[in-house]
Amino acid sequence: NKYFFYFGYMVRRKGLGFALEGFRKFIERHPRLSYIFILAGGIIKGQEGAYEEIKMLVRKKNLSNRVIFKGFIEEKDQDELYRDAYAVIIPAIISMGSSGPLYHAESYGKCVMTSKVGHFLEEIDDLKTGILVVNSNWDKAFEYAVSHPKIVRNIEMNVRAKARLRSPYRTAGLYLKLYKS
């Protein structure tokens, strides 16, 4: 099965409810498509209720057969999940700075679909290095990605090129040049 992949904390500020509701609408309109949504990652102490809410939302929206919770995963499983994902999902209600999950997904050369908020507006060149999504339109974003596999592949090529520009070696060289000037 093809799948969308989320890797990160299961907390309210991530906006997983928006992505899950959009995925539900997408599946309802396209029941023959066999896409699933895999969520992996942990729970922050004090945010256990958010994780329970996410699981309850999945049950309430009848997504239990299309959403898989992996919890904490080993690095080899993480590598495989990223490698084989159709696209990586990074929803957000708010964003407060550079995104570890975004850089992580980009290091795997994946097409990232992320909420059109905060720093993502600066980090993602829409339809070139990712897909920016209005939180109320996740269903349309899933449809767009599935309907345009060539654009998803082009985004992945652009993301791999972008990741090469951010290599530690290149960054060190830029700092060295700066210090010498």
Side-chain angles (χ1 to χ4, degrees):
N1 281 354
K2 289 188 176 179
Y3 62 89
F4 295 96
F5 182 54
Y6 170 85
F7 179 74
Y9 287 118
M10 306 289 173
V11 295
R12 287 179 189 91
R13 69 181 165 82
K14 296 290 185 175
L16 271 168
F18 290 114
L20 287 165
E21 176 62 18
F23 187 68
R24 180 194 62 78
K25 290 177 182 176
F26 164 70
I27 293 302
E28 277 183 1
R29 283 197 292 269
H30 306 282
R32 290 195 175 133
L33 294 178
S34 60
Y35 285 85
I36 59 174
F37 194 167
I38 297 177
L39 289 78
I43 305 160
I44 297 175
K45 191 165 179 58
Q47 288 274 325
E48 297 86 354
Y51 180 57
E52 292 305 316
E53 287 172 18
I54 293 164
K55 290 193 316 190
M56 187 168 39
L57 178 68
V58 166
R59 285 190 301 274
K60 195 168 114 184
K61 300 292 184 177
N62 296 319
L63 289 170
S64 297
N65 62 339
R66 294 288 191 115
V67 175
I68 297 170
F69 291 94
K70 293 281 190 179
F72 284 107
I73 53 176
E74 297 294 324
E75 190 171 349
K76 69 176 181 53
D77 297 326
Q78 177 182 316
D79 292 342
E80 184 179 315
L81 286 165
Y82 270 109
R83 183 189 67 230
D84 297 339
Y86 185 73
V88 174
I89 307 303
I90 306 177
I93 295 173
I94 57 170
S95 68
M96 300 172 280
S98 294
S99 171
L102 174 62
Y103 293 130
H104 203 219
E106 288 179 341
S107 75
Y108 284 93
K110 298 310 294 185
C111 172
V112 173
M113 299 166 58
T114 188
S115 296
K116 193 174 187 173
V117 298
H119 74 281
F120 292 118
L121 297 169
E122 296 172 21
E123 297 287 339
I124 298 291
D125 186 357
D126 194 30
L127 303 182
K128 290 185 177 54
T129 61
I131 299 173
L132 290 171
V133 183
V134 174
N135 274 333
S136 59
N137 292 337
W138 274 97
D139 56 323
K140 292 177 181 80
F142 286 115
E143 285 178 4
Y144 183 86
V146 167
S147 300
H148 296 87
K150 187 175 181 191
I151 290 175
V152 169
R153 285 192 302 276
N154 286 340
I155 289 170
E156 289 176 341
M157 286 183 352
N158 294 337
V159 166
R160 285 191 287 277
K162 181 179 167 184
R164 283 192 297 276
L165 292 176
R166 288 187 172 157
S167 75
Y169 182 76
R170 180 172 163 69
T171 302
L174 291 171
Y175 277 109
L176 185 60
K177 186 177 175 183
L178 177 67
Y179 289 136
K180 285 182 177 180
S181 67

